[in-house]
C-alpha cells in the first residue's frame, strides 16, 4: 500500500485545494450544465476539477489507478482487480454548486482493498480542508491557520443533532427523526454532513436514498479517523470496490457505542 507520510498527505490536500480553486472560476451567476446518463447534472467545474485531479495524482503516484465520477467506462474497466486506487469525486454537491450555495466539496480518497485509508474533503468557497487516515488521525485546516485535530463527541440522548441531505432526505429519515423525539437538525449538501459529525458538531447522518462510492469514501475516512463510523443497516462497515458502484443505505455516526441501529427496529 502507498506510504501515507505527512508529506504525501499534504500533497494530496494540495491537489484537492488546487482543484477547488479551479471550480471557483465557474461559481456564481447562471451555471450551464448538461445531464448525464443517470440524469445527474454535469458542469464545466466538474470537468475542470476532474482534469486537474487526475493529472496531479498521476504525477504524484503514477503506479496507482484512478476512479473518478467523471471517468469513462473504459478508464474504469478492470477496477475490481485493483488492490489500491484513488477514488475521486471532483465536485460533490453539483446541485448546490448550480444553486450558487457554498455547500459543495472536492473529495479524494485512497482505497486499499475495500477500505478508505485516506480521505481529503476540501470546501472551495471557505477554503477549509478536512483530512483523515487511520494511522494519522483526522484534522481540519482553515486557510493560513495550523491544522486542528478532530474528534467526534459522545452521543447524549435528548441533545442529539442529526444531519440530512438538503435534496435527498426522504420519508424514512423523517420517520427516524420522530423516533428520536425532538433532535436538533442540520440540513447540508455534499460530504459536509460527515465532516460536521467528525468535528463534534453533530451526531448522526442516516442515508436511505442512493449514493455512489465516490460520494462517501473520502468523508468516511475523515469520520472514522475522528472516532466515528459508517455502516450499512446491518451494522457492517461500508466498503468499497463492490460489484456495483452504488452504496447500500447507511448510517454515519460519531459515537460507535450509541444504539443507532436499534432505531431501525419496529
Amino acid at each position: 500500500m502507498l506510504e501515507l507520510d505527512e508529506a504525501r498527505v499534504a500533497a494530496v490536500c494540495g491537489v484537492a485545494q488546487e482543484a477547488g480553486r479551479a471550480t471557483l472560476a465557474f461559481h456564481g451567476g447562471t451555471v450551464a450544465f448538461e445531464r448525464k446518463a443517470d440524469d445527474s447534472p454535469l458542469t464545466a467545474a466538474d470537468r475542470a476539477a476532474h482534469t486537474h485531479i487526475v493529472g496531479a495524482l498521476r504525477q504524484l503516484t503514477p503506479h496507482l489507478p484512478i476512479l473518478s465520477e467523471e471517468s469513462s467506462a473504459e478508464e474504469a474497466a478492470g477496477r475490481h482487480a485493483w488492490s489500491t486506487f484513488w477514488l475521486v469525486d471532483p465536485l460533490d454537491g453539483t446541485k448546490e454548486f448550480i444553486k450558487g450555495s457554498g455547500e459543495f466539496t472536492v473529495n479524494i480518497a485512497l482505497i486499499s482493498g475495500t477500505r478508505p485509508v485516506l480521505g481529503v474533503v476540501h470546501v472551495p468557497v471557505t477554503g477549509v480542508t478536512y483530512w483523515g487516515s487511520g494511522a494519522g488521525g483526522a484534522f481540519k485546516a482553515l486557510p493560513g491557520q495550523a491544522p486542528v485535530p478532530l474528534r467526534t463527541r459522545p452521543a447524549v440522548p435528548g441533545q442529539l443533532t442529526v444531519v440530512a441531505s438538503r435534496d435527498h432526505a426522504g420519508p424514512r429519515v423523517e420517520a427516524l427523526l420522530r423516533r428520536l423525539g425532538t433532535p436538533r437538525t442540520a440540513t447540508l449538501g455534499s460530504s459536509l454532513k460527515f465532516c460536521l459529525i467528525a468535528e463534534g458538531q453533530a451526531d448522526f447522518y442516516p442515508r436511505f436514498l442512493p449514493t455512489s462510492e465516490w460520494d462517501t469514501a473520502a468523508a468516511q475516512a475523515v469520520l472514522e479517523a475522528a472516532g466515528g463510523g459508517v455502516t450499512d443497516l446491518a451494522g457492517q462497515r461500508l466498503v468499497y470496490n463492490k460489484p456495483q458502484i452504488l452504496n447500500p443505505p447507511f448510517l454515519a455516526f460519531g459515537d460507535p457505542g450509541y444504539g443507532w441501529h436499534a432505531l431501525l427496529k419496529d
Side-chain angles (χ1 to χ4, degrees):
M1 191 189 78
L2 183 69
E3 183 180 354
L4 296 177
D5 57 24
E6 186 175 341
R8 185 67 57 86
V9 172
V12 179
C13 289
V15 172
Q17 291 159 357
E18 291 158 8
R21 285 191 282 273
T23 69
L24 292 178
F26 305 92
H27 187 243
T30 301
V31 178
F33 64 92
E34 59 189 77
R35 293 285 180 182
K36 296 190 286 188
D38 63 358
D39 201 40
S40 62
L42 175 68
T43 71
D46 294 86
R47 290 196 181 95
H50 165 82
T51 299
H52 177 81
I53 292 169
V54 169
L57 290 180
R58 283 177 176 162
Q59 287 191 341
L60 184 65
T61 55
H63 59 293
L64 289 185
I66 302 165
L67 177 61
S68 164
E69 180 176 9
E70 310 312 333
S71 294
S72 67
E74 293 76 17
E75 291 172 317
R79 69 181 178 89
H80 297 303
W82 300 346
S83 60
T84 304
F85 64 99
W86 295 107
L87 182 57
V88 175
D89 192 341
L91 199 165
D92 182 35
T94 301
K95 290 181 180 179
E96 295 299 324
F97 183 88
I98 293 169
K99 291 176 187 176
S101 90
E103 294 177 10
F104 62 93
T105 60
V106 175
N107 299 344
I108 302 176
L110 180 67
I111 307 297
S112 179
T114 61
R115 297 185 172 189
V117 294
L118 169 66
V120 175
V121 176
H122 176 65
V123 190
V125 167
T126 63
V128 173
T129 306
Y130 300 87
W131 67 93
S133 66
F139 298 87
K140 172 184 178 180
L142 280 67
Q145 297 186 23
V148 177
L150 300 181
R151 196 68 190 170
T152 59
R153 69 187 185 187
V156 180
Q159 301 180 33
L160 299 175
T161 297
V162 179
V163 287
S165 172
R166 190 174 298 285
D167 293 313
H168 303 290
R172 293 187 69 184
V173 171
E174 294 171 3
L176 200 58
L177 291 176
R178 288 193 292 270
R179 289 188 177 184
L180 285 168
T182 56
R184 290 184 291 271
T185 58
T187 306
L188 292 170
S190 75
S191 53
L192 289 169
K193 296 178 288 294
F194 293 85
C195 296
L196 201 66
I197 300 173
E199 58 183 319
Q201 299 299 313
D203 302 286
F204 186 39
Y205 167 35
R207 176 73 182 220
F208 301 113
L209 297 180
T211 58
S212 295
E213 291 188 358
W214 44 67
D215 294 315
T216 57
Q220 179 174 342
V222 174
L223 179 52
E224 289 180 340
V230 184
T231 72
D232 63 21
L233 302 190
Q236 299 300 308
R237 186 185 194 187
L238 194 64
V239 297
Y240 293 82
N241 213 7
K242 301 183 292 293
Q244 300 295 325
I245 202 71
L246 289 179
N247 290 320
F250 64 81
L251 306 180
F253 44 82
D255 184 350
Y258 193 82
W260 304 112
H261 296 87
L263 296 169
L264 304 173
K265 298 178 181 178
D266 293 330

